[in-house]
Amino acid sequence: MKPLTEHDIRTSFVNCSKGEAKRLPLPKNLADLDHWDDLDFLGWFDLSAPDRKYLVVERADELVGLSLRSASGNRGFLRRSLCSLCLTTHPGSGVSLMTAPKAGPAGREGNSVGLYICADLDCSLYVRGRKKAAPGGRMEESLTVEQQIERLRGNLDAFVERVFH
């Protein structure tokens, strides 16, 4: 992913109003972020409202920003869940159902789409081995890391496509 500016981020959002995009908090570490090459998307959460999360992805040479809400509720630590993007499993609340309002009129009518995603939004780092999941979190795969990255990007693209349609 290429480095993003505040303007890039704020103008990318497709499922919230321009006013909401202007007011949403930016990632605290945006200026210090030095691992852009390891990211397939930029994801962060609102420290004042932890159920609000944001994701910006490059798609066909344009940026698409999504406003998300994560489902509340604690799961038992013994229960494990699988992220639909990177296929990493996490115990407890390490995976959340995140919903995104649809773009356009459908979103204004209250329609949304959802996906189970790593609660910390670090899918790109898990796939690349830059961040370690809990024991048993990453399965041994016959796919190369590059193929796993392509799968993650395909899963992410399918989710973004569902926001538009």
Side-chain angles (χ1 to χ4, degrees):
M1 197 171 185
K2 68 176 179 149
L4 303 177
T5 65
E6 177 180 349
H7 180 265
D8 294 335
I9 293 170
R10 293 196 187 280
T11 58
S12 71
F13 281 86
V14 298
N15 66 343
C16 65
S17 71
K18 289 181 182 181
E20 290 171 318
K22 187 176 182 179
R23 292 185 304 272
L24 65 84
L26 294 176
K28 296 292 181 204
N29 63 345
L30 183 62
D32 302 325
L33 198 60
D34 62 356
H35 61 275
W36 289 100
D37 290 342
D38 290 335
L39 297 179
D40 301 295
F41 63 89
L42 177 64
W44 72 100
F45 57 93
D46 185 339
L47 293 174
S48 63
D51 66 324
R52 293 180 189 219
K53 302 193 182 200
Y54 307 97
L55 185 145
V56 177
V57 62
E58 289 176 324
R59 190 167 184 251
D61 294 331
E62 70 175 344
L63 292 175
V64 175
L66 299 178
S67 173
L68 306 167
R69 288 213 180 227
S70 60
S72 60
N74 291 331
R75 295 183 179 180
F77 187 76
L78 296 177
R79 184 176 176 136
R80 299 183 70 82
S81 299
L82 179 71
C83 173
S84 298
L85 293 180
C86 66
L87 305 185
T88 300
T89 60
H90 295 278
S93 58
V95 172
S96 293
L97 174 61
M98 297 199 197
T99 58
K102 289 190 138 207
R108 288 189 291 278
E109 292 175 5
N111 295 323
S112 62
V113 295
L115 194 69
Y116 286 95
I117 304 175
C118 293
D120 59 9
L121 297 172
D122 283 338
C123 300
S124 299
L125 302 179
Y126 290 122
V127 167
R128 289 168 173 81
R130 304 276 193 266
K131 187 171 183 179
K132 298 293 180 204
R138 292 291 302 160
M139 296 175 280
E140 182 92 24
E141 293 192 63
S142 59
L143 298 178
T144 66
V145 171
E146 290 76 22
Q147 290 170 322
Q148 292 176 49
I149 292 168
E150 284 304 310
R151 179 182 59 206
L152 183 151
R153 289 178 181 165
N155 292 342
L156 181 59
D157 190 56
F159 178 62
V160 172
E161 190 65 29
R162 289 176 48 216
V163 170
F164 284 108
H165 299 289

